[in-house]
Amino acid sequence: MSPYKLVFGKACHLPVELEHKAYWAIKRLNLDLDAAGEKRLLQLNELEEFRSQSYENAKLYKEKTKQWHDRKIHLRNFEVGQQALLFNSRLRLFLGKLKSRWSGPFKITQIYPFGAVELEDEKSGRTFKVNGQRIKHYFGGEKMEQLKQNFAAAKEA
């Protein structure tokens, strides 16, 4: 006798057993065991089909998501000596919703294979390596002044 039956005076039926149509319940109710066995095998086969279909759907979804993500990646070609801005991903931990997440400019000192880039902070002279996806070209400083002059000259003409 189970402890549950001692306390409550009846047998314990778990929701999992009821959901999966426990074999012992069919036996107790004196139903046809062969028909119940065939029905259970049919249910197991259907469950296996659902699993395989969901696996295929998940695989297709992953492929499409990967293609979409790969299309969104912009190839950036950097050269030694160029200036770049570095994306600061930890900025969201601090206040300052309107503060720019790009810091810099930094000078590119070396480019490694597979997208790694070594940057140098021109103020402190410190160098460090970062992922090439975290940097973007910096068009400020002298280039920005040239663009402003060209724009002013075009506007006057």
Side-chain angles (χ1 to χ4, degrees):
M1 191 177 276
S2 70
Y4 186 89
K5 190 169 185 176
L6 285 174
V7 174
F8 297 105
K10 60 182 181 177
C12 175
H13 297 290
L14 298 174
V16 174
E17 293 172 349
L18 295 175
E19 182 181 325
H20 293 293
K21 300 173 184 73
Y23 205 64
W24 64 267
I26 294 171
K27 214 187 240 183
R28 191 164 214 177
L29 295 172
N30 293 325
L31 297 175
D32 187 11
L33 291 177
D34 293 331
E38 287 177 13
K39 186 175 181 183
R40 186 69 183 143
L41 284 175
L42 182 64
Q43 289 174 342
L44 289 173
N45 288 337
E46 287 177 355
L47 182 65
E48 187 62 33
E49 285 180 30
F50 286 140
R51 283 184 182 151
S52 64
Q53 285 176 354
S54 61
Y55 177 78
E56 288 297 322
N57 289 339
K59 189 176 174 183
L60 290 172
Y61 173 75
K62 279 185 176 182
E63 288 174 1
K64 286 182 180 179
T65 306
K66 183 180 180 339
Q67 288 174 355
W68 178 82
H69 183 267
D70 290 345
R71 274 196 310 247
K72 295 290 182 181
I73 294 177
H74 300 288
L75 293 177
R76 298 182 180 114
N77 296 324
F78 296 101
E79 296 176 10
V80 176
Q82 286 182 334
Q83 289 188 329
L85 297 175
L86 176 65
F87 183 74
N88 186 358
S89 59
R90 297 181 184 204
L91 192 62
R92 70 180 138 206
L93 299 176
F94 307 108
L95 295 175
K97 207 172 21 173
L98 302 176
K99 190 174 180 182
S100 175
R101 291 188 179 196
W102 295 95
S103 58
F106 299 100
K107 183 179 178 183
I108 298 174
T109 56
Q110 190 172 0
I111 300 174
Y112 296 98
F114 304 108
V117 177
E118 185 174 281
L119 299 176
E120 178 185 359
D121 188 4
E122 294 179 346
K123 295 175 186 172
S124 65
R126 189 175 64 111
T127 61
F128 51 94
K129 291 181 189 175
V130 295
N131 186 349
Q133 292 293 320
R134 292 185 58 206
I135 62 175
K136 70 177 181 179
H137 291 283
Y138 176 66
F139 298 112
E142 298 170 5
K143 290 185 179 179
M144 192 58 125
E145 292 300 322
Q146 278 183 335
L147 288 174
K148 285 180 183 178
Q149 290 173 359
N150 292 345
F151 182 71
K155 194 174 185 181
E156 290 175 2

